[in-house]
Amino acid sequence: MTAAAEAGGKPSALTPNLVGAGWMLASAVCFTAMTTLIKYLGAGYSPALQTFYRQLAGVILLLPLIAPDWRRAFYATRPGILLFRSAAGIAATILSFYAYQQLPLADANALSFTRALWITPLAFFTLGEKLGPMRIGATLVGFLGVLVMLAPSGHMRLGLAEFSALASAFLFALAIAGMKVVTRDHSPFTILVWAAFLGLAFSLPPALFSWRWPGIKDLMLLAAMGVLGVGSQAAYIKGMQIGDAAAIAPVDYTRLVFAVGTGFVLFHEVPGMRTLVGAAVVIGATLLITWREHHVARRAILQSV
């Protein structure tokens, strides 16, 4: 019974999956706004410098939450893994920012979806997870979708920007694999704090090579980019906490729709047909993997009862 029903009012029509989908949609909107600012500011700020200012904004947002008990916030039993995943994450961020600056928004978003495909082999080699034929087949089909997007007759090719997008997706998958290890004995807040501060430290050296002080307008836009990045992550996590992963994961792919629309209106970008077809194949494969993992996990829970 919902809280509204217990209070004597009408039962709420908002199911957990519907609320979770709303948070995922908010995450997609924030992400699209952030990548739009990345592309808009790309002419004057290198990917490393954008990453530094984004991390700085995130650290500033976290300071009021850390201050009451900073020792607890930073306490870690596996600092080595936290260092590794933060390094992988910041390298992935810099590469993804480069891809969003150089590629049409739709193309960069489509290639970013391969992150879920990279998780499959990484889970096998680093976490020892067993892979069934359906998961392996879906992963292979997903990578065929990447080949469709990168075919010579399409808009994309395997140049530096496309390679950066794929390498970024791989490194993000590596960071996620590390997340599965550290969440066993670290709170999400501790992981977030370490990622924010280490990301700031790791992004500073490459940022110095292209350093420039922003004006007031650019500073506000860079700060907004950082806030949107944190907001996108927070909304994504919240959505996954509230709703069922298999039910709400498809909502995350609305950012491809937003990217197509934003790219067309603001940057006059028109995605090629191969990009859209290849992206559809990648999305279908990742959704199948998500559904399969949800089904396996649910069956394991039922068998343990």
Side-chain angles (χ1 to χ4, degrees), residues 87-293:
I90 209 65
T93 301
I94 293 173
L95 288 170
S96 70
F97 278 24
Y98 177 77
Y100 281 110
Q101 287 181 4
Q102 301 298 321
L103 294 173
L105 290 177
D107 292 5
N109 269 278
L111 291 175
S112 75
F113 293 144
T114 60
R115 175 175 58 185
L117 303 178
W118 287 116
I119 291 175
T120 296
L122 285 173
F124 175 76
F125 288 109
T126 64
L127 301 176
E129 292 185 6
K130 295 182 179 180
L131 304 180
M134 181 179 290
R135 188 174 177 183
I136 295 174
T139 302
L140 293 176
V141 169
F143 280 116
L144 286 177
V146 176
L147 294 179
V148 170
M149 287 188 279
L150 298 176
S153 58
H155 282 188
M156 284 198 280
R157 68 192 197 290
L158 189 55
L160 183 58
E162 291 82 2
F163 178 80
S164 295
L166 291 172
S168 171
F170 172 77
L171 288 170
F172 273 130
L174 200 60
I176 292 172
M179 174 82 77
K180 290 187 176 183
V181 176
V182 295
T183 50
R184 296 169 185 169
D185 46 14
H186 296 84
S187 70
F189 182 66
T190 296
I191 297 170
L192 183 62
V193 168
W194 275 71
F197 280 84
L198 287 175
L200 184 66
F202 288 146
S203 62
L204 178 57
L208 291 175
F209 287 99
S210 57
W211 186 265
R212 61 170 290 193
W213 294 102
I216 297 298
K217 177 186 175 182
D218 285 358
L219 181 61
M220 293 177 65
L221 292 176
L222 288 165
M225 188 177 71
V227 172
L228 287 167
V230 173
S232 177
Q233 292 180 33
Y236 185 92
I237 294 171
K238 187 70 174 179
M240 283 296 185
Q241 286 179 337
I242 295 175
D244 183 83
I248 67 174
V251 181
D252 184 47
Y253 295 107
T254 57
R255 55 190 176 94
L256 180 60
V257 178
F258 295 146
V260 171
T262 303
F264 178 76
V265 173
L266 298 181
F267 304 108
H268 309 292
E269 299 169 348
V270 180
M273 182 55 65
R274 283 186 179 272
T275 298
L276 297 178
V277 172
V281 173
V282 172
I283 290 172
T286 56
L287 288 179
L288 180 59
I289 292 171
T290 302
W291 174 84
R292 178 60 179 170
E293 291 307 298

Side-chain angles (χ1 to χ4, degrees), residues 39-84:
K39 194 170 188 67
Y40 175 75
L41 293 166
Y45 297 89
S46 69
L49 192 54
Q50 285 188 352
T51 301
F52 172 80
Y53 281 119
R54 179 197 176 206
Q55 292 298 125
L56 181 60
V59 166
I60 293 173
L61 285 176
L62 287 173
L63 284 177
L65 302 176
I66 297 171
D69 192 357
W70 64 270
R71 287 186 177 87
R72 183 177 181 182
F74 282 97
Y75 177 76
T77 58
R78 301 189 186 190
I81 298 179
L82 289 169
L83 280 165
F84 172 78

